[in-house]
Amino acid sequence: MTDTSHPNETLSTIFSRSSYRGLFTGTPVPRHDLETILRAGIAAPSGCNRQTTAFVAVDDPDRVARIKQIFRRPSCDTAPAFILIFTREIPGVDGHNYNIEDFSAAVENMLLAIKSLGYESCWYQGGIRNCLEPLRAVVRMPDPYRLICLLPVGVAAEPLHSAAEKKPFGERAWFNEYTPDAVSYTHLRAHET
Ligand SMILES: Cc1cc2nc3c(=O)[nH]c(=O)nc-3n(C[C@H](O)[C@H](O)[C@H](O)COP(=O)(O)O)c2cc1C
């Protein structure tokens, strides 16, 4: 198992975050914690500061229940709250749309805030693709915002797993210049022949 401990609190949170798909306890998430998580999303950088990402935290039991009926996942069945992340396109000064990068930064900020406050979550994006409009209707978000991601938020009721295995450092990161990793290089050579 990877050692996730680090004396720095921020880095410790980064290294200990992992996708949680287990059950949640019934403990509600207080409004002030949800607001902190939303503020972490708002605090994220955005291309040309266009702030293309918007957020809705759902803690109202009726709406929480409707989300669970639409998006059926064992872990989401027990979640006391959800955060829905929306994106829209607003070109930057260079004419480019940075909204994908914007919401990615915001979601990661929120996942780290969720972890630091003692909750767990998972970035659900592919999984909600077939129910985007019904989920958007639950929170009545108007056009031009598109729903892009859903985060359950709650206290874990099951043991945490470590983050999914990451490729070795030497296959993904270098100092000063790319250097083939001895192991993967051998592997590549084997495929060349
Ligand atoms: C863009 C994106 C979409 C994702 N969509 C889903 C999803 O629909 N369902 C799911 O269970 N996990 C989803 N995940 C979580 C990834 O599966 C997870 O981050 C990855 O396996 C690495 O595990 P870790 O988060 O524990 O490090 C998504 C993550 C990203 C960044």
Side-chain angles (χ1 to χ4, degrees):
M1 185 193 276
T2 316
D3 180 15
T4 59
S5 60
H6 196 283
N8 177 282
E9 207 177 317
T10 305
L11 292 174
S12 166
T13 305
I14 289 172
F15 292 132
S16 61
R17 182 216 58 82
S18 64
S19 294
Y20 180 76
R21 301 182 184 84
L23 303 179
F24 293 100
T25 66
T27 313
V29 184
R31 257 301 157 86
H32 58 84
D33 282 350
L34 285 174
E35 183 174 330
T36 301
I37 296 162
L38 296 179
R39 288 187 184 281
I42 288 170
S46 67
C48 301
N49 198 26
R50 288 294 188 259
Q51 305 180 44
T52 55
T53 318
F55 317 90
V56 180
V58 181
D59 61 355
D60 158 49
D62 288 344
R63 285 194 167 88
V64 166
R66 283 169 64 192
I67 290 173
K68 290 173 185 177
Q69 277 171 359
I70 295 166
F71 183 56
R72 307 199 77 96
R73 287 288 185 285
S75 63
C76 291
D77 264 357
T78 52
F82 292 96
I83 295 175
L84 276 63
I85 295 97
F86 294 87
T87 182
R88 59 178 294 188
E89 294 189 349
I90 306 175
V93 285
D94 55 0
H96 186 79
N97 280 306
Y98 292 103
N99 64 303
I100 295 174
E101 293 82 349
D102 296 350
F103 77 70
S104 301
V107 172
E108 179 65 1
N109 260 18
M110 286 192 289
L111 288 175
L112 295 175
I114 288 167
K115 184 77 189 172
S116 346
L117 291 170
Y119 304 107
E120 298 297 331
S121 188
C122 178
W123 179 325
Y124 283 105
Q125 183 170 335
I128 63 167
R129 208 170 282 139
N130 294 329
C131 45
L132 295 176
E133 284 312 307
L135 286 173
R136 181 161 82 133
V138 172
V139 299
R140 305 175 60 178
M141 179 61 92
D143 287 333
Y145 281 109
R146 288 186 295 117
L147 177 62
I148 198 73
C149 176
L150 175 143
L151 303 178
V153 186
V155 176
E158 297 181 59
L160 304 183
H161 300 289
S162 51
E165 196 180 333
K166 309 295 176 185
K167 292 177 187 172
F169 184 95
E171 277 187 28
R172 292 181 66 190
W174 298 271
F175 293 102
N176 297 318
E177 65 175 19
Y178 168 81
T179 319
D181 175 80
V183 177
S184 58
Y185 185 65
T186 312
H187 172 75
L188 282 176
R189 296 290 298 185
H191 281 273
E192 277 174 14
T193 53

Short mmCIF file of all heavy atoms in Angstrom, two decimals, residues 101-146:
data_model
loop_
_atom_site.label_atom_id
_atom_site.label_comp_id
_atom_site.label_asym_id
_atom_site.label_seq_id
_atom_site.Cartn_x
_atom_site.Cartn_y
_atom_site.Cartn_z
N GLU A 101 -11.15 22.41 -18.49
CA GLU A 101 -10.07 22.58 -17.49
C GLU A 101 -10.64 23.25 -16.23
O GLU A 101 -10.27 22.89 -15.10
CB GLU A 101 -8.94 23.43 -18.08
CG GLU A 101 -8.19 22.77 -19.22
CD GLU A 101 -8.87 22.91 -20.59
OE1 GLU A 101 -10.04 23.33 -20.66
OE2 GLU A 101 -8.22 22.58 -21.60
N ASP A 102 -11.53 24.21 -16.43
CA ASP A 102 -12.11 24.93 -15.27
C ASP A 102 -12.86 23.98 -14.33
O ASP A 102 -12.64 23.98 -13.12
CB ASP A 102 -13.10 26.01 -15.74
CG ASP A 102 -12.45 27.10 -16.57
OD1 ASP A 102 -11.21 27.16 -16.64
OD2 ASP A 102 -13.22 27.90 -17.15
N PHE A 103 -13.74 23.14 -14.90
CA PHE A 103 -14.50 22.29 -13.98
C PHE A 103 -13.63 21.18 -13.40
O PHE A 103 -13.87 20.73 -12.27
CB PHE A 103 -15.81 21.76 -14.60
CG PHE A 103 -15.70 20.62 -15.58
CD1 PHE A 103 -15.35 19.34 -15.18
CD2 PHE A 103 -15.99 20.82 -16.91
CE1 PHE A 103 -15.26 18.28 -16.08
CE2 PHE A 103 -15.92 19.77 -17.82
CZ PHE A 103 -15.54 18.50 -17.41
N SER A 104 -12.61 20.76 -14.15
CA SER A 104 -11.71 19.73 -13.60
C SER A 104 -10.99 20.26 -12.36
O SER A 104 -10.89 19.56 -11.34
CB SER A 104 -10.69 19.29 -14.65
OG SER A 104 -11.35 18.77 -15.78
N ALA A 105 -10.51 21.50 -12.45
CA ALA A 105 -9.83 22.10 -11.30
C ALA A 105 -10.81 22.26 -10.13
O ALA A 105 -10.47 21.98 -8.98
CB ALA A 105 -9.24 23.46 -11.69
N ALA A 106 -12.03 22.67 -10.44
CA ALA A 106 -13.02 22.89 -9.37
C ALA A 106 -13.40 21.57 -8.69
O ALA A 106 -13.51 21.51 -7.46
CB ALA A 106 -14.27 23.56 -9.96
N VAL A 107 -13.58 20.52 -9.49
CA VAL A 107 -13.97 19.23 -8.90
C VAL A 107 -12.85 18.71 -8.00
O VAL A 107 -13.11 18.25 -6.88
CB VAL A 107 -14.31 18.19 -10.01
CG1 VAL A 107 -14.52 16.81 -9.39
CG2 VAL A 107 -15.57 18.63 -10.77
N GLU A 108 -11.62 18.80 -8.45
CA GLU A 108 -10.51 18.31 -7.61
C GLU A 108 -10.41 19.13 -6.32
O GLU A 108 -10.23 18.56 -5.23
CB GLU A 108 -9.19 18.33 -8.39
CG GLU A 108 -7.98 17.85 -7.60
CD GLU A 108 -8.02 16.37 -7.19
OE1 GLU A 108 -8.97 15.67 -7.53
OE2 GLU A 108 -7.08 15.94 -6.50
N ASN A 109 -10.57 20.45 -6.43
CA ASN A 109 -10.58 21.27 -5.20
C ASN A 109 -11.66 20.78 -4.24
O ASN A 109 -11.44 20.67 -3.03
CB ASN A 109 -10.89 22.73 -5.55
CG ASN A 109 -9.65 23.59 -5.61
OD1 ASN A 109 -8.55 23.09 -5.73
ND2 ASN A 109 -9.84 24.91 -5.54
N MET A 110 -12.83 20.49 -4.78
CA MET A 110 -13.94 20.06 -3.91
C MET A 110 -13.67 18.68 -3.32
O MET A 110 -13.98 18.43 -2.15
CB MET A 110 -15.26 20.09 -4.68
CG MET A 110 -15.72 21.52 -4.88
SD MET A 110 -17.41 21.63 -5.45
CE MET A 110 -17.19 21.02 -7.09
N LEU A 111 -13.09 17.76 -4.12
CA LEU A 111 -12.77 16.43 -3.58
C LEU A 111 -11.79 16.56 -2.41
O LEU A 111 -11.91 15.84 -1.41
CB LEU A 111 -12.18 15.54 -4.68
CG LEU A 111 -13.15 15.04 -5.74
CD1 LEU A 111 -12.39 14.29 -6.84
CD2 LEU A 111 -14.24 14.14 -5.14
N LEU A 112 -10.84 17.48 -2.54
CA LEU A 112 -9.86 17.66 -1.46
C LEU A 112 -10.51 18.31 -0.24
O LEU A 112 -10.22 17.95 0.90
CB LEU A 112 -8.67 18.48 -1.96
CG LEU A 112 -7.84 17.79 -3.06
CD1 LEU A 112 -6.75 18.72 -3.58
CD2 LEU A 112 -7.23 16.49 -2.56
N ALA A 113 -11.43 19.25 -0.48
CA ALA A 113 -12.15 19.87 0.64
C ALA A 113 -13.00 18.81 1.35
O ALA A 113 -13.05 18.75 2.59
CB ALA A 113 -13.03 21.01 0.14
N ILE A 114 -13.68 17.98 0.57
CA ILE A 114 -14.52 16.91 1.14
C ILE A 114 -13.67 16.01 2.04
O ILE A 114 -14.03 15.70 3.17
CB ILE A 114 -15.18 16.11 -0.01
CG1 ILE A 114 -16.28 16.96 -0.68
CG2 ILE A 114 -15.74 14.77 0.49
CD1 ILE A 114 -16.79 16.40 -2.01
N LYS A 115 -12.50 15.62 1.51
CA LYS A 115 -11.60 14.74 2.28
C LYS A 115 -11.11 15.44 3.54
O LYS A 115 -11.10 14.85 4.62
CB LYS A 115 -10.41 14.36 1.38
CG LYS A 115 -9.44 13.39 1.99
CD LYS A 115 -9.99 12.00 1.95
CE LYS A 115 -9.14 11.06 2.76
NZ LYS A 115 -9.77 9.74 2.88
N SER A 116 -10.71 16.71 3.41
CA SER A 116 -10.19 17.40 4.61
C SER A 116 -11.23 17.58 5.69
O SER A 116 -10.88 17.71 6.84
CB SER A 116 -9.61 18.78 4.37
OG SER A 116 -9.38 19.12 3.19
N LEU A 117 -12.49 17.65 5.30
CA LEU A 117 -13.54 17.83 6.31
C LEU A 117 -14.00 16.50 6.91
O LEU A 117 -14.92 16.46 7.73
CB LEU A 117 -14.74 18.56 5.68
CG LEU A 117 -14.48 20.03 5.30
CD1 LEU A 117 -15.64 20.58 4.46
CD2 LEU A 117 -14.27 20.88 6.55
N GLY A 118 -13.39 15.40 6.48
CA GLY A 118 -13.71 14.09 7.07
C GLY A 118 -14.77 13.31 6.32
O GLY A 118 -15.29 12.32 6.84
N TYR A 119 -15.09 13.74 5.10
CA TYR A 119 -16.08 13.02 4.29
C TYR A 119 -15.38 12.29 3.15
O TYR A 119 -14.18 12.47 2.92
CB TYR A 119 -17.11 14.01 3.72
CG TYR A 119 -17.79 14.84 4.78
CD1 TYR A 119 -17.48 16.19 4.93
CD2 TYR A 119 -18.71 14.27 5.65
CE1 TYR A 119 -18.10 16.96 5.92
CE2 TYR A 119 -19.33 15.03 6.63
CZ TYR A 119 -19.02 16.38 6.76
OH TYR A 119 -19.62 17.13 7.73
N GLU A 120 -16.17 11.51 2.43
CA GLU A 120 -15.64 10.79 1.27
C GLU A 120 -16.54 11.08 0.07
O GLU A 120 -17.70 11.50 0.22
CB GLU A 120 -15.59 9.28 1.54
CG GLU A 120 -14.69 8.88 2.68
CD GLU A 120 -13.21 9.22 2.46
OE1 GLU A 120 -12.78 9.23 1.28
OE2 GLU A 120 -12.52 9.48 3.45
N SER A 121 -16.01 10.79 -1.11
CA SER A 121 -16.77 11.06 -2.33
C SER A 121 -16.17 10.28 -3.50
O SER A 121 -15.17 9.57 -3.34
CB SER A 121 -16.77 12.55 -2.65
OG SER A 121 -17.64 12.84 -3.72
N CYS A 122 -16.77 10.43 -4.64
CA CYS A 122 -16.25 9.86 -5.88
C CYS A 122 -16.69 10.76 -7.03
O CYS A 122 -17.82 11.26 -7.02
CB CYS A 122 -16.77 8.44 -6.09
SG CYS A 122 -16.20 7.68 -7.63
N TRP A 123 -15.82 10.99 -7.97
CA TRP A 123 -16.11 11.83 -9.15
C TRP A 123 -16.95 10.99 -10.12
O TRP A 123 -16.42 10.10 -10.78
CB TRP A 123 -14.77 12.22 -9.75
CG TRP A 123 -14.73 13.06 -10.97
CD1 TRP A 123 -15.58 13.07 -12.02
CD2 TRP A 123 -13.70 14.03 -11.28
NE1 TRP A 123 -15.17 13.97 -12.96
CE2 TRP A 123 -14.02 14.57 -12.54
CE3 TRP A 123 -12.54 14.47 -10.64
CZ2 TRP A 123 -13.22 15.54 -13.16
CZ3 TRP A 123 -11.76 15.42 -11.26
CH2 TRP A 123 -12.11 15.96 -12.50
N TYR A 124 -18.25 11.22 -10.16
CA TYR A 124 -19.12 10.50 -11.10
C TYR A 124 -19.38 11.38 -12.32
O TYR A 124 -20.07 12.41 -12.22
CB TYR A 124 -20.45 10.13 -10.46
CG TYR A 124 -20.35 8.95 -9.51
CD1 TYR A 124 -20.39 9.13 -8.13
CD2 TYR A 124 -20.20 7.66 -10.00
CE1 TYR A 124 -20.28 8.05 -7.26
CE2 TYR A 124 -20.08 6.57 -9.14
CZ TYR A 124 -20.12 6.78 -7.78
OH TYR A 124 -20.02 5.71 -6.93
N GLN A 125 -18.82 10.99 -13.43
CA GLN A 125 -19.02 11.75 -14.67
C GLN A 125 -19.50 10.83 -15.79
O GLN A 125 -20.57 11.03 -16.35
CB GLN A 125 -17.73 12.48 -15.08
CG GLN A 125 -17.89 13.34 -16.32
CD GLN A 125 -16.69 14.24 -16.56
OE1 GLN A 125 -15.95 14.59 -15.64
NE2 GLN A 125 -16.48 14.64 -17.80
N GLY A 126 -18.68 9.78 -16.08
CA GLY A 126 -19.11 8.82 -17.11
C GLY A 126 -20.43 8.18 -16.72
O GLY A 126 -21.35 8.03 -17.54
N GLY A 127 -20.56 7.84 -15.45
CA GLY A 127 -21.74 7.10 -14.97
C GLY A 127 -23.05 7.87 -15.07
O GLY A 127 -24.12 7.26 -15.14
N ILE A 128 -22.99 9.21 -15.07
CA ILE A 128 -24.26 9.97 -15.10
C ILE A 128 -24.64 10.39 -16.51
O ILE A 128 -25.65 11.06 -16.71
CB ILE A 128 -24.20 11.24 -14.20
CG1 ILE A 128 -23.13 12.22 -14.68
CG2 ILE A 128 -23.99 10.86 -12.74
CD1 ILE A 128 -23.26 13.61 -14.03
N ARG A 129 -23.84 9.96 -17.50
CA ARG A 129 -24.04 10.47 -18.86
C ARG A 129 -25.45 10.19 -19.39
O ARG A 129 -25.98 10.97 -20.17
CB ARG A 129 -22.99 9.85 -19.78
CG ARG A 129 -22.67 10.75 -20.96
CD ARG A 129 -21.46 10.27 -21.74
NE ARG A 129 -20.20 10.59 -21.11
CZ ARG A 129 -19.15 9.75 -21.04
NH1 ARG A 129 -19.22 8.55 -21.54
NH2 ARG A 129 -18.05 10.13 -20.45
N ASN A 130 -26.06 9.07 -18.95
CA ASN A 130 -27.39 8.72 -19.47
C ASN A 130 -28.53 9.37 -18.70
O ASN A 130 -29.70 9.13 -19.02
CB ASN A 130 -27.58 7.19 -19.45
CG ASN A 130 -26.64 6.52 -20.41
OD1 ASN A 130 -26.28 7.11 -21.43
ND2 ASN A 130 -26.21 5.31 -20.07
N CYS A 131 -28.22 10.13 -17.68
CA CYS A 131 -29.32 10.73 -16.91
C CYS A 131 -29.05 12.20 -16.60
O CYS A 131 -29.45 12.71 -15.56
CB CYS A 131 -29.59 9.93 -15.64
SG CYS A 131 -28.14 9.44 -14.72
N LEU A 132 -28.38 12.88 -17.51
CA LEU A 132 -28.01 14.28 -17.28
C LEU A 132 -29.22 15.19 -17.15
O LEU A 132 -29.30 16.01 -16.23
CB LEU A 132 -27.12 14.79 -18.43
CG LEU A 132 -25.75 14.11 -18.56
CD1 LEU A 132 -25.01 14.63 -19.78
CD2 LEU A 132 -24.91 14.34 -17.30
N GLU A 133 -30.18 15.04 -18.06
CA GLU A 133 -31.32 15.97 -18.05
C GLU A 133 -32.22 15.76 -16.83
O GLU A 133 -32.61 16.73 -16.18
CB GLU A 133 -32.08 15.92 -19.37
CG GLU A 133 -31.37 16.66 -20.50
CD GLU A 133 -30.90 18.06 -20.11
OE1 GLU A 133 -31.73 18.86 -19.62
OE2 GLU A 133 -29.71 18.37 -20.26
N PRO A 134 -32.59 14.50 -16.50
CA PRO A 134 -33.39 14.31 -15.28
C PRO A 134 -32.69 14.84 -14.02
O PRO A 134 -33.33 15.44 -13.15
CB PRO A 134 -33.59 12.79 -15.19
CG PRO A 134 -33.35 12.28 -16.57
CD PRO A 134 -32.40 13.23 -17.23
N LEU A 135 -31.38 14.65 -13.94
CA LEU A 135 -30.66 15.15 -12.76
C LEU A 135 -30.65 16.68 -12.75
O LEU A 135 -30.86 17.31 -11.70
CB LEU A 135 -29.21 14.63 -12.75
CG LEU A 135 -29.03 13.16 -12.39
CD1 LEU A 135 -27.58 12.74 -12.58
CD2 LEU A 135 -29.47 12.88 -10.95
N ARG A 136 -30.45 17.27 -13.91
CA ARG A 136 -30.46 18.74 -13.98
C ARG A 136 -31.82 19.29 -13.56
O ARG A 136 -31.92 20.32 -12.89
CB ARG A 136 -30.11 19.21 -15.40
CG ARG A 136 -30.07 20.71 -15.52
CD ARG A 136 -29.32 21.12 -16.75
NE ARG A 136 -30.15 21.06 -17.94
CZ ARG A 136 -30.20 22.03 -18.83
NH1 ARG A 136 -29.49 23.13 -18.63
NH2 ARG A 136 -30.92 21.90 -19.90
N ALA A 137 -32.88 18.57 -13.95
CA ALA A 137 -34.23 19.04 -13.63
C ALA A 137 -34.47 19.06 -12.12
O ALA A 137 -35.22 19.90 -11.61
CB ALA A 137 -35.26 18.15 -14.32
N VAL A 138 -33.82 18.14 -11.39
CA VAL A 138 -34.01 18.08 -9.93
C VAL A 138 -33.64 19.41 -9.29
O VAL A 138 -34.28 19.87 -8.34
CB VAL A 138 -33.19 16.92 -9.31
CG1 VAL A 138 -33.22 16.98 -7.79
CG2 VAL A 138 -33.68 15.57 -9.81
N VAL A 139 -32.58 20.04 -9.81
CA VAL A 139 -32.11 21.29 -9.19
C VAL A 139 -32.47 22.52 -10.03
O VAL A 139 -32.08 23.63 -9.70
CB VAL A 139 -30.58 21.24 -8.94
CG1 VAL A 139 -30.23 20.10 -7.99
CG2 VAL A 139 -29.79 21.11 -10.23
N ARG A 140 -33.19 22.29 -11.11
CA ARG A 140 -33.73 23.38 -11.95
C ARG A 140 -32.65 24.33 -12.47
O ARG A 140 -32.85 25.55 -12.50
CB ARG A 140 -34.80 24.16 -11.16
CG ARG A 140 -35.89 23.23 -10.65
CD ARG A 140 -36.87 23.92 -9.76
NE ARG A 140 -37.54 25.01 -10.47
CZ ARG A 140 -38.49 25.76 -9.94
NH1 ARG A 140 -38.89 25.55 -8.70
NH2 ARG A 140 -39.04 26.72 -10.64
N MET A 141 -31.51 23.75 -12.85
CA MET A 141 -30.44 24.61 -13.40
C MET A 141 -30.79 24.96 -14.85
O MET A 141 -31.05 24.07 -15.66
CB MET A 141 -29.11 23.86 -13.33
CG MET A 141 -27.95 24.65 -13.89
SD MET A 141 -27.66 26.20 -13.00
CE MET A 141 -26.49 25.71 -11.77
N PRO A 142 -30.80 26.24 -15.18
CA PRO A 142 -31.19 26.64 -16.54
C PRO A 142 -30.05 26.50 -17.55
O PRO A 142 -28.88 26.40 -17.17
CB PRO A 142 -31.58 28.11 -16.37
CG PRO A 142 -30.73 28.58 -15.24
CD PRO A 142 -30.52 27.40 -14.32
N ASP A 143 -30.40 26.55 -18.84
CA ASP A 143 -29.39 26.69 -19.90
C ASP A 143 -28.67 28.02 -19.67
O ASP A 143 -29.26 28.94 -19.10
CB ASP A 143 -30.07 26.73 -21.28
CG ASP A 143 -30.59 25.35 -21.68
OD1 ASP A 143 -30.01 24.36 -21.21
OD2 ASP A 143 -31.56 25.31 -22.46
N PRO A 144 -27.46 28.18 -20.12
CA PRO A 144 -26.69 27.25 -20.94
C PRO A 144 -25.86 26.26 -20.13
O PRO A 144 -24.99 25.60 -20.68
CB PRO A 144 -25.79 28.18 -21.73
CG PRO A 144 -25.49 29.28 -20.77
CD PRO A 144 -26.74 29.47 -19.95
N TYR A 145 -26.12 26.16 -18.83
CA TYR A 145 -25.32 25.24 -18.03
C TYR A 145 -25.64 23.79 -18.37
O TYR A 145 -26.81 23.42 -18.51
CB TYR A 145 -25.56 25.48 -16.54
CG TYR A 145 -24.81 26.66 -16.00
CD1 TYR A 145 -25.47 27.83 -15.64
CD2 TYR A 145 -23.42 26.62 -15.88
CE1 TYR A 145 -24.77 28.92 -15.15
CE2 TYR A 145 -22.72 27.71 -15.39
CZ TYR A 145 -23.40 28.85 -15.03
OH TYR A 145 -22.70 29.93 -14.56
N ARG A 146 -24.59 22.98 -18.50
CA ARG A 146 -24.72 21.53 -18.72
C ARG A 146 -24.21 20.83 -17.47
O ARG A 146 -23.14 21.18 -16.95
CB ARG A 146 -23.86 21.07 -19.89
CG ARG A 146 -24.33 21.47 -21.25
CD ARG A 146 -23.47 20.83 -22.32
NE ARG A 146 -22.07 21.27 -22.31
CZ ARG A 146 -21.02 20.49 -22.06
NH1 ARG A 146 -21.18 19.21 -21.79
NH2 ARG A 146 -19.79 20.98 -22.09
#
